[in-house]
Amino acid sequence: MNLDWIVIAHSVCTQKHKMGFLTTKMMERTALFLSFGSYLTSLTTAFLPLWKTMNSDLNEVENWFSGLWLTCLYTDERGIQCKAYDSVLGLPMDLQISRVLVLISIGTGGFALLTAFLGLEGVEICVRKPDVKRGLLIFSGVMTWLSGLTTLAPVSVVAYTTVVEFWDEGFPDAMPRWEYGEAMFSGWFGGLGQVIGGTLFFVAVCMGDYDLQRLSVPVSPELKPRTKHYLKTEVL
C-alpha cells in the first residue's frame, strides 16, 4: 500500500511539473521580452533632448531642454527649435563620458538580444548542441547586464551634476537652473529593466540545468509503476 501511494505521488509531481506555468521556455521568453522593452526605452532615452529642463521666472514662455546631443528651446510663438552642440571637446566632462557610455549600452544591448534569440529553446539553431545554446544565454545575460549598467551610469552622473549645480550657492537666486527631465526617469527604468532581464537569463539557464539533471537521474526500481501483468498476478 505504501508503494502505491509513493507511485501515485511521484506521478502527480511529474505531471504537475509538466503542466507548470513557469517553465524554462517561458522564463527565457520573459527575459527576452523584458530585455527588448527595456532596450527600446534606453535607446529612446539616449536620443531624447529631455535629460534636463530649465525655465525662467522672468520669461515664463521660454522652456529650455538639454540632452546628450541637442539643446532645444520651446516658445509658444515658434514652437520647439533644436540645435546640436557646436563642439564635442567643449562639452562638460559628464556629457562626454555619458555619450561614450550610452553608445556602449546601445551596442551591447543589441548584440545581447541577437545572441539571446539564437539561444532560445525552440529556435531551430544549434538544436543538437545544448551547450552552445546554454553559452549563448549566459553571454546574452552578461551583455544585457553590461548594457543596463552603462545606461544607469550616465543617467546617474548627469543627475548628480544637475543636483550639485542646482544647489550651488555661487549662482544668484534669480538665475534659472537646470532640473531633472523626463528622459532621466525613463533611463533609470530602462537600465534597471535590462539588469533584471539579464538576471532572468541566468535564472533560465539554472532552470534548464535542473531539468537536465532531473531527467538524467535514474528512477528507483521501487518507484517504477507496476505492469498490468504484475497487477493481475497480485489480484489473483
Side-chain angles (χ1 to χ4, degrees):
M1 181 64 70
N2 293 333
L3 289 178
D4 294 338
W5 281 108
I6 293 175
V7 171
I8 294 174
H10 182 267
S11 302
V12 171
C13 291
T14 304
Q15 294 297 329
K16 185 176 181 181
H17 179 77
K18 291 180 179 179
M19 298 175 61
F21 177 76
L22 193 60
T23 60
T24 304
K25 187 176 182 179
M26 183 62 67
M27 180 60 69
E28 291 176 355
R29 278 150 178 75
T30 301
L32 181 63
F33 178 78
L34 179 60
S35 300
F36 179 72
S38 302
Y39 175 75
L40 291 182
T41 304
S42 301
L43 182 64
T44 305
T45 301
F47 297 99
L48 281 178
L50 297 173
W51 286 55
K52 297 188 294 184
T53 62
M54 181 176 62
N55 53 10
S56 174
D57 295 335
L58 300 178
N59 190 358
E60 298 181 354
V61 297
E62 291 184 355
N63 292 319
W64 290 86
F65 304 96
S66 176
L68 299 180
W69 317 95
L70 299 172
T71 299
C72 300
L73 172 63
Y74 175 80
T75 58
D76 295 335
E77 298 177 355
R78 298 183 179 181
I80 186 170
Q81 296 177 334
C82 297
K83 180 182 178 182
Y85 294 109
D86 296 331
S87 175
V88 177
L89 298 178
L91 292 175
M93 185 58 64
D94 60 333
L95 289 184
Q96 295 184 24
I97 297 175
S98 298
R99 281 187 172 188
V100 175
L101 292 176
V102 162
L103 293 178
I104 294 175
S105 175
I106 294 173
T108 54
F111 192 59
L113 293 174
L114 177 61
T115 55
F117 177 76
L118 298 178
L120 289 179
E121 181 181 346
V123 177
E124 299 299 327
I125 297 177
C126 299
V127 178
R128 298 182 179 180
K129 298 179 180 179
D131 293 338
V132 175
K133 280 186 169 292
R134 181 177 183 274
L136 289 174
L137 287 180
I138 294 176
F139 181 77
S140 63
V142 174
M143 289 292 102
T144 306
W145 262 5
L146 180 60
S147 179
L149 293 177
T150 50
T151 299
L152 293 173
V155 176
S156 301
V157 168
V158 174
Y160 173 75
T161 56
T162 303
V163 172
V164 172
E165 293 176 357
F166 184 86
W167 295 107
D168 190 357
E169 297 179 355
F171 287 95
D173 295 336
M175 181 178 295
R177 306 184 185 188
W178 292 105
E179 299 181 10
Y180 288 170
E182 290 81 357
M184 279 194 179
F185 299 99
S186 63
W188 276 319
F189 280 112
L192 183 60
Q194 286 183 293
V195 172
I196 297 175
T199 305
L200 293 182
F201 279 123
F202 292 113
V203 174
V205 171
C206 293
M207 293 177 64
D209 293 342
Y210 175 77
D211 291 339
L212 292 177
Q213 183 180 3
R214 184 181 59 83
L215 293 175
S216 62
V217 175
V219 181
S220 176
E222 297 180 355
L223 298 180
K224 291 183 178 179
R226 302 175 181 179
T227 60
K228 294 182 179 180
H229 178 73
Y230 182 80
L231 291 176
K232 291 181 179 179
T233 305
E234 186 181 16
V235 172
L236 293 174

